[in-house]
């Protein structure tokens, strides 16, 4: 027997869960069907994810990698334990503070563009090797794509 939850709080919680679930579906579709610009292909439907899986099967390299994997010479990357890379060209920085609406994250060496909705090619290009702060409302997972 738990503490009863007032109906207005249940409705608010359900709306928040629905927004977050919608965002997760959107990002899952991105990962399954979009390819970073660094992967040349005319058929981008799932090729990137399949290529990562095939490479992992043959090389035993992990698909999800710690940030230091991208730039082992950068001491800052060893201190980051709340971000990860998918392959070498995607950085994911989940919001890990309750109630946070912004996210401070580290971009390793290279040029990076924040992925927004279904737009891989739009947005500001950020130089790596530094910390940046981005908006991160509940329905937005900060994802950066390497720019070649």
């Amino acid at each position: 027997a738990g503490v009863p939850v007032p109906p207005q709080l249940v409705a608010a919680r359900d709306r928040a869960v629905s927004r977050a679930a919608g965002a997760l579906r959107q990002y899952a579709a991105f990962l399954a069907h979009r390819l970073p610009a660094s992967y040349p292909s005319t058929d981008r439907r799932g090729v990137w994810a399949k290529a990562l899986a095939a490479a992992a099967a043959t090389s035993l390299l992990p698909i999800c990698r710690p940030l230091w994997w991208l730039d082992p010479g950068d001491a800052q990357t060893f201190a980051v334990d709340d971000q990860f890379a998918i392959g070498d060209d995607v950085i994911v920085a989940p919001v890990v503070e309750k109630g946070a609406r912004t996210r401070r994250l580290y971009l390793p060496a290279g040029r990076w563009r924040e992925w927004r909705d279904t737009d891989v090619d739009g947005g500001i290009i950020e130089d790596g090797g530094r910390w940046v702060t981005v908006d991160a409302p509940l329905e937005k997972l900060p994802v950066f794509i390497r720019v070649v």
Side-chain angles (χ1 to χ4, degrees):
V3 177
V5 178
Q8 66 273 20
L9 294 182
V10 170
R13 181 196 64 204
D14 289 348
R15 281 191 304 277
V17 168
S18 178
R19 284 177 35 219
L24 289 175
R25 279 192 295 276
Q26 183 181 30
Y27 289 107
F30 161 74
L31 293 175
H33 302 293
R34 292 302 295 249
L35 198 63
S38 60
Y39 286 88
S41 173
T42 55
D43 175 18
R44 295 178 178 260
R45 307 266 322 150
V47 173
W48 177 60
K50 289 176 186 174
L52 282 175
T58 58
S59 67
L60 301 181
L61 296 174
I63 293 172
C64 291
R65 303 167 182 177
L67 206 59
W68 56 260
W69 195 284
L70 302 181
D71 190 1
D74 183 346
Q76 289 284 327
T77 62
F78 288 89
V80 178
D81 61 1
D82 58 357
Q83 294 175 225
F84 61 93
I86 301 175
D88 290 329
D89 297 311
V90 176
I91 294 176
V92 181
V95 176
V96 294
E97 290 182 31
K98 184 177 182 176
R101 296 294 182 256
T102 60
R103 174 65 158 89
R104 185 172 183 259
L105 61 110
Y106 189 75
L107 296 174
R111 300 176 72 218
W112 301 90
R113 181 181 323 216
E114 185 176 6
W115 180 70
R116 295 184 178 136
D117 300 326
T118 58
D119 182 18
V120 174
D121 300 321
I124 297 170
I125 295 175
E126 302 277 0
D127 289 322
R130 66 190 186 96
W131 292 90
V132 297
T133 300
V134 297
D135 290 333
L138 181 62
E139 64 276 359
K140 179 179 171 268
L141 177 65
V143 175
F144 281 79
I145 310 296
R146 185 185 300 274
V147 176
V148 189

